[in-house]
Amino acid sequence: METVLTRPSAAPVIQALRSIGYNASTAIADLIDNSLDAKALIININFAYAESDGMITISDNGMGMNEEMLQRAMNIGSKDPRAKRGANELGRFGMGLKTASFSLGKRLSVLTKKNGAYSERCWDLDHVSECNEWQLLTVIPECVKNKIGTIEDESGTIVCIDKLDRFMGYDSKRKLKETSFYNKVARINRHLEFVFHSILEKNEVKMFINGNEVVPWDPFMRYHPNTMEGEMQMLRINDNRIKVQYFILPHAAHLTEPEYKKAGGYKGWRDHQGLYIYRENRLLYFGDWMGLFPKDAASQLARVRIDLPNEADSDWQVDIKKSGINLPEDAKRRLEAISSIARKVSRDIFYFRTQPGPRNPAIKGSLNTWEQSGSEDGPQFILNRNHPILSELLKNLDDENAKLLNLYLKFVQLGSPSNIIDSPKVPEEEVQGLPDSQKELIIQFASSLLKLNVADNEEQLLNILLTQPAFDGLNRATLKAITTEANLFDIN
Ligand SMILES: Nc1ncnc2c1ncn2[C@@H]1O[C@H](COP(=O)(O)OP(=O)(O)OP(=O)(O)O)[C@@H](O)[C@H]1O
Ligand SMILES: [Mg+2]
């Protein structure tokens, strides 16, 4: 194949990259993503106003970079977007550090420290334009370095952006005044409270803007007793598990004035209805029904949370700015169904205030049939054993039947498609060691099958046990050893 090497011209490409559509808030959020990916626990974002030129710094105590890592990180396209990313990783394109920074200003300096050793690099777009080459400065200019200071911890990173032409207004005549500058910072603060609320609520990471802590803002008002939570649903869309749950906020009549104002967020109630799409717990998109329904006043109490893993990026067409997304065809129909329920409940409450007051204390526990277990291992979803209908049923059953029902529920839970994980394969003839609780469950289940005449010989019994999703990953030898030890055929 005959080819000719055609190198992109540095000056125009870098100018074009400045205009891929970030605003100041989405740009800062993209830079914070990097600090979170570096496992930082404290992230300080500082905005300093100066009439001639302001400066933005994002300092973190994450894992930092060595010289080689930093050199790669400063490259435009430092990683292949098709590569598999780690669990919970927010990065995807290998672009954000550069594109987000350039959308704010013309100079990006990175000072980083890993295990006590410093590295530094700097992109100065004036220099790139002048020489029309991808020349990266290996030393941060003295005037910047003096302002950013040093990194106290053994590892960490300071990203500094100055020559803030875009952040400050495009030309000298329209430069931001000091009050407008800090109003803009306040808007960014509100954006971060919102975009990172789920991450901040875990209380592991802290963020500060000019020394003030960023306080998470929960759009679903889960703390309010009149908020209604729909059941968590698991959808499988093109091999990825997507979690969906709707929330119906309380009617205004149930809210105090400050509560009402706060829940309206920074766009107002009407513009906060709709789908809230989170990627690895970080909010990516919100504010409408993404073409499924129009926005209307009566649906303004409905907010639907959708949680995506980063593996779903290409399916949902996550964009470089991490603020745009497209619904896959398969997801549309199912989200439409869930959203229309949420919208109907919202409408009923909005017009008729049919919402009950705080839940009757006689009814204890949540009304969800399934709940998230919250534990890393074991089943992800557990049946809510305190559901009022189940409690009522169990009260009216004799001991024998209550036991049987409980056993059945255990099986429903263990065999639920959402809970089945791929178990490692074990050699057929090897007896696996199991905890007593699991052995006990197998024996209970097997003896119930025998009592109900579902199986009447050992061979049949083992065949049934082997096909149970709840016992996935157990081999015949193990099941046989357990049933033999329990003498099941002697008892029955
Ligand atoms: N604060 C930081 N601490 C440690 N490493 C960082 C930091 N910021 C960036 N990096 C490194 O620089 C690389 C490039 O960052 P960049 O934001 O350009 O791309 P990305 O995060 O991989 O993907 P995306 O374009 O989706 O943000 C990251 O993959 C990471 O290895
Ligand atoms: Mg990034």
Side-chain angles (χ1 to χ4, degrees), residues 12-23:
V13 169
I14 225 153
Q15 284 305 323
L17 281 179
R18 306 195 71 192
S19 308
I20 60 172
Y22 285 99
N23 58 39

Side-chain angles (χ1 to χ4, degrees), residues 404-467:
L404 212 53
L405 178 61
N406 270 322
L407 183 65
Y408 174 71
L409 292 177
K410 258 186 208 166
F411 268 81
V412 172
Q413 181 174 300
L414 285 169
S416 145
S418 301
N419 283 335
I420 296 172
I421 37 171
D422 287 336
S423 321
K425 291 276 165 270
V426 245
E428 260 317 299
E429 63 287 353
E430 195 176 295
V431 175
Q432 303 154 264
L434 297 183
D436 285 349
S437 57
Q438 200 179 354
K439 281 190 192 165
E440 182 58 30
L441 186 65
I442 294 168
I443 295 164
Q444 273 181 24
F445 185 66
S447 51
S448 305
L449 292 183
L450 293 175
K451 253 189 222 149
L452 297 170
N453 293 326
V454 179
D456 50 26
N457 63 52
E458 190 179 21
E459 198 56 19
Q460 251 180 22
L461 179 68
L462 289 175
N463 285 343
I464 294 173
L465 294 180
L466 275 170
T467 58

